[in-house]
Amino acid sequence: MLASIKARDFSLHFNEQNLKGEELQLAYEINDAISEFRDTSKRLEAQYGYLEAMLNKTNTFLLVVDDQGNVDWMNESAIKNLCGFKIERLSGLSVLNESLPHELENFVAGQQRLLNIMVKGTMVEWSVTMTRYNRYGTERRLFSIEDVQMVLRQNEVDAQKKLVRVLTHEIMNSLSPIISLSDTLNQTFQQGTADKDDVQMALQAIYRRSQGLLNFVESFRKVSRVSTPVREWVVLGDIINELHQLYPSDYITFVVEDSNERIYVDQSQIEQVLINLIKNAVEACEETPRPQIRLSAYSDRPNNRFYIEVADNGPGMPPDVAEQIFVPFFTTKSSGSGIGLSICRQIISMHGGKISVESNTDSDNHGSIFKIELDNRE
């Protein structure tokens, strides 16, 4: 039995015939143990096969490397798209770029870096992370490499799909009643049953829907024409004072680490973003008994990063709403255009930063936090 387990051969079965007493009981227990090992092994193999299939489907390049530089495993994406074949050692990546193996060897666990590498005459940008784990008592390193441009292209395609879905929805909402009313008017005139009041009401409805569609198209033009920011060094306190004058309410507080901090931004555009976020927070707290809105700003000088957060204690947003909140024309407000947050994201992106939202609808801890991260250097 011990030799069988050591060799991972679980086909062994002890013959229970002609056994009695303790020998028979021992045979029962041995066969039960072997059966349990066999079932556990099958289950683990199935799980391993499922995980490997899932990892092979991802577009991220994955490599498992030991501390001697031997490559234990690569997923299919890494084999096909990274170098075109399976490598035995990390040094094999030198066929792409001579410095790449050295760059990866110097990675620290948990570190994420952007690598700009010349591959076959083309400059590529990779986002690389490395995680350490222990396998059979030996340290392994899992390298995760993403083609930044590929991720951006996929995100762009996803954003376009969402935009087309929203545009189609809005346009059809306007065109359907216009077509229906036009057809009804045409039929009444052909039949000679047109009533002046009915015609007037129908024409007014067509006008309103046409005007709504025109306003929608105008909103789309605004989204697509955000001007390039003119960045300069601005004192943070000047921006905060401007916002405080616009929103002097007691329940809106401004927490600034250093009001003399200088940030490299287009002041008017950043003010536009913050005004939009505070306005949304105020509207979110309209039915909150004790509204609280806080704008906080702080810097990470060693990494040249600057952060602004706008938090409220409103009802929060469910995950499906928070996921689409930056999609152009998506709105949960009956009178909203759905372009404010989309423009905010465009402005922050053109500043080389990013904006995100965390929202919670729990009764004890509800509210939303919009977070802005800016690259604070020329």
Side-chain angles (χ1 to χ4, degrees):
M1 182 189 72
L2 293 176
S4 174
I5 293 173
K6 187 175 182 180
R8 300 185 65 80
D9 176 13
F10 303 127
S11 61
L12 176 70
H13 181 81
F14 276 83
N15 191 343
E16 299 165 1
Q17 293 181 355
N18 303 321
L19 296 181
K20 298 179 181 179
E22 292 182 353
E23 288 184 342
L24 180 59
Q25 184 63 34
L26 180 60
Y28 283 151
E29 292 181 2
I30 289 175
N31 286 332
D32 285 344
I34 292 292
S35 178
E36 186 174 342
F37 277 126
R38 181 170 57 249
D39 292 342
T40 301
S41 178
K42 287 181 178 179
R43 187 169 63 253
L44 291 176
E45 286 178 4
Q47 290 177 352
Y48 177 82
Y50 172 76
L51 289 173
E52 186 172 30
M54 184 173 63
L55 293 174
N56 280 327
K57 290 296 183 182
T58 180
N59 291 325
T60 303
F61 310 145
L62 300 174
L63 297 88
V64 176
V65 185
D66 66 17
D67 281 341
Q68 285 70 49
N70 299 308
V71 177
D72 286 351
W73 179 82
M74 298 171 64
N75 68 342
E76 289 182 3
S77 184
I79 295 173
K80 293 178 181 178
N81 303 315
L82 185 61
C83 46
F85 54 90
K86 187 175 181 179
I87 57 174
E88 300 297 327
R89 293 185 56 80
L90 195 62
S91 58
L93 291 177
S94 60
V95 298
L96 298 177
N97 184 286
E98 290 185 2
S99 65
L100 182 56
H102 178 72
E103 292 275 5
L104 296 181
E105 284 289 359
N106 290 329
F107 258 68
V108 178
Q111 181 185 26
Q112 181 176 18
R113 284 173 51 195
L114 287 177
L115 293 183
N116 292 301
I117 300 230
M118 188 68 71
V119 177
K120 298 178 181 178
T122 303
M123 182 63 71
V124 298
E125 186 176 26
W126 286 335
S127 174
V128 184
T129 58
M130 187 271 283
T131 304
R132 280 191 174 273
Y133 69 97
N134 191 289
R135 185 185 182 191
Y136 304 135
T138 305
E139 285 284 324
R140 293 290 191 276
R141 293 171 292 170
L142 172 62
F143 287 96
S144 173
I145 304 174
E146 287 186 295
D147 187 326
V148 173
Q149 291 304 315
M150 183 183 297
V151 173
L152 290 176
R153 285 194 296 271
Q154 185 59 51
N155 289 341
E156 183 179 346
V157 169
D158 292 342
Q160 289 174 351
K161 288 180 179 178
K162 290 180 180 179
L163 178 57
V164 169
R165 186 165 62 248
V166 174
L167 288 172
T168 303
H169 175 75
E170 292 294 334
I171 292 172
M172 290 304 296
N173 279 351
S174 293
L175 288 181
S176 294
I178 290 175
I179 293 172
S180 177
L181 286 169
S182 300
D183 183 56
T184 301
L185 285 176
N186 183 50
Q187 289 182 20
T188 57
F189 276 113
Q190 287 180 351
Q191 296 169 2
T193 59
D195 180 79
K196 181 180 178 181
D197 292 337
D198 290 341
V199 170
Q200 187 175 8
M201 290 177 61
L203 289 174
Q204 287 175 349
I206 290 174
Y207 173 79
R208 286 194 300 271
R209 293 316 307 156
S210 300
Q211 188 64 45
L213 188 57
L214 183 63
N215 293 336
F216 174 76
V217 173
E218 183 61 31
S219 297
F220 180 76
R221 290 176 61 188
K222 290 180 181 179
V223 171
S224 60
R225 290 186 178 180
V226 177
S227 58
T228 303
V230 180
R231 301 174 69 181
E232 58 184 354
W233 289 106
V234 178
V235 178
L236 176 62
D238 294 342
I239 296 177
I240 299 301
N241 290 336
E242 183 74 21
L243 294 172
H244 198 277
Q245 290 178 7
L246 292 172
Y247 296 97
S249 303
D250 293 336
Y251 66 87
I252 301 177
T253 58
F254 298 87
V255 182
V256 180
E257 189 177 67
D258 181 4
S259 60
N260 294 317
E261 181 83 31
R262 296 171 71 243
I263 57 177
Y264 191 61
V265 296
D266 183 315
Q267 183 171 348
S268 63
Q269 289 192 352
I270 292 299
E271 286 179 354
Q272 179 184 353
V273 170
L274 297 179
I275 288 171
N276 195 294
L277 294 181
I278 295 175
K279 174 176 171 291
N280 286 349
V282 170
E283 292 175 354
C285 294
E286 283 180 345
E287 298 181 7
T288 302
R290 295 179 181 176
Q292 292 181 358
I293 297 171
R294 185 187 70 237
L295 184 149
S296 55
Y298 54 96
S299 65
D300 177 9
R301 292 188 182 90
N303 294 309
N304 296 309
R305 309 301 288 176
F306 191 79
Y307 301 89
I308 305 174
E309 297 182 1
V310 177
D312 68 67
N313 65 337
M317 296 176 286
D320 59 327
V321 172
E323 182 182 349
Q324 302 184 72
I325 202 70
F326 295 105
V327 176
F329 310 110
F330 175 84
T331 181
T332 57
K333 305 173 186 175
S334 58
S335 59
S337 64
I339 65 171
L341 288 175
S342 174
I343 291 176
C344 288
R345 169 168 279 185
Q346 284 194 60
I347 290 174
I348 297 302
S349 296
M350 293 168 74
H351 275 75
K354 58 184 179 181
I355 181 172
S356 59
V357 62
E358 293 180 4
S359 195
N360 199 331
T361 57
D362 292 345
S363 57
D364 297 330
N365 184 28
H366 53 78
S368 301
I369 303 176
F370 284 84
K371 298 183 178 181
I372 297 172
E373 179 182 346
L374 294 170
D375 184 7
N376 198 28
R377 55 188 168 188
E378 296 187 32

